[in-house]
Amino acid sequence: MNIKTSAIMFSSLMFLSACASFSVGTDVQSGRRALLTGQPETALAYFQSAAQLDPNYYYGTALKHGILSYVGRSEYAVGRYPQARETLEKALGANQEDNTARLYLGLAMARSGDRQRGLSEIESGMKGLQEFLEYITQAHRFSFGQFWDPALAIRTAIKNDLAMISGRELNWDKLIADGEWIGKQIEEEGDRARNDEVRTRNRESDSKDSQP
């Protein structure tokens, strides 16, 4: 194989890799939109397509979610709890710090009858998300951290549920509903924080530009 042929093959591989990465990113964005707007079947199809192209893909910056986490959460949303449980366990095998996946694993366990283990995973997932929010809002309070959960809505919900879990009376219907709400909110919070930061920075820039 001569140098020219090698160069052409390398360029072709780079082009195909770039196309695949773009396709994965597009599928994940489409899947997230579908999942957050109550179209879990559509979301699942997009995430499964992305997972086939790149099973190691991660979305997000401050809070990262693996593609298997999205597949498992979509399976949960369509009611395929055993499949969701299996997928989310794989997601956690790849990333033990994905507390959103851990929360949904607990919810899937609880809905499929394994409430004792499910409760442990739900509690662990909620604590992990609470710790993440506390860290991000303190360690980066002078930059992007100030835009995460500014009204403490997510952390307050987690605090109340953890208190219920440690108390004597556990309302499973409320805990599952709250867990699903927290999972949805934490997924949306990154988008809200990023949008709020952009708006704030734009206002600050406009204010500076308008000064004499």
Side-chain angles (χ1 to χ4, degrees), residues 66-93:
I67 187 61
L68 289 179
S69 176
Y70 283 117
V71 173
R73 284 148 58 188
S74 299
E75 289 172 335
Y76 174 88
V78 299
R80 301 177 190 174
Y81 304 127
Q83 294 95 324
R85 178 173 174 171
E86 181 178 349
T87 304
L88 291 164
E89 285 175 340
K90 290 179 180 178
L92 286 168

Side-chain angles (χ1 to χ4, degrees), residues 7 13-14 18 28 31 35 61 72 75 81 88 104 111 128 142 147 151-152 157 168 197 202 212:
L13 288 173
M14 291 296 292
V28 170
L35 186 62
T61 51
E75 289 172 335
Y81 304 127
L88 291 164
Y104 275 95
R111 283 194 176 275
F142 298 118
F147 302 101
L152 304 177
R168 294 184 177 182
E197 182 178 9
N202 286 340

Side-chain angles (χ1 to χ4, degrees), residues 53-194:
L53 289 170
D54 185 358
N56 299 313
Y57 183 86
Y58 278 85
Y59 175 86
T61 51
L63 183 63
K64 293 184 177 181
H65 291 134
I67 187 61
L68 289 179
S69 176
Y70 283 117
V71 173
R73 284 148 58 188
S74 299
E75 289 172 335
Y76 174 88
V78 299
R80 301 177 190 174
Y81 304 127
Q83 294 95 324
R85 178 173 174 171
E86 181 178 349
T87 304
L88 291 164
E89 285 175 340
K90 290 179 180 178
L92 286 168
N95 179 17
Q96 286 289 319
E97 295 183 358
D98 189 341
N99 287 294
T100 309
R102 190 174 300 281
L103 171 61
Y104 275 95
L105 174 60
L107 293 171
M109 286 177 169
R111 283 194 176 275
S112 57
D114 192 354
R115 286 190 168 183
Q116 183 175 357
R117 289 184 60 194
L119 184 62
S120 177
E121 296 291 357
I122 290 171
E123 182 179 25
S124 180
M126 286 185 176
K127 285 181 177 179
L129 291 173
Q130 183 182 52
E131 290 171 2
F132 163 77
L133 289 171
E134 290 295 337
Y135 168 77
I136 214 74
T137 55
Q138 289 300 316
H140 302 281
R141 59 187 178 277
F142 298 118
S143 57
F144 65 89
Q146 63 186 292
F147 302 101
W148 281 79
D149 194 31
L152 304 177
I154 300 174
R155 279 170 284 181
T156 298
I158 291 174
K159 180 181 178 181
N160 291 339
D161 283 329
L162 291 176
M164 179 171 62
I165 290 172
S166 63
R168 294 184 177 182
E169 295 185 7
L170 180 60
N171 184 331
W172 269 104
D173 290 339
K174 175 172 173 51
L175 181 62
I176 289 174
D178 286 355
E180 292 171 351
W181 183 86
I182 290 167
K184 186 173 185 290
Q185 293 302 309
I186 201 69
E187 180 64 38
E188 293 180 323
E189 191 63 15
D191 296 335
R192 286 194 291 259
R194 185 163 50 251

Side-chain angles (χ1 to χ4, degrees), residues 14-47:
M14 291 296 292
F15 175 76
L16 291 173
S17 177
C19 290
S21 297
F22 177 79
S23 181
V24 171
T26 300
D27 282 346
V28 170
Q29 289 286 15
S30 297
R32 289 184 71 249
R33 280 194 297 271
L35 186 62
L36 293 172
T37 55
Q39 305 172 69
E41 290 279 5
T42 301
L44 180 57
Y46 278 119
F47 290 138

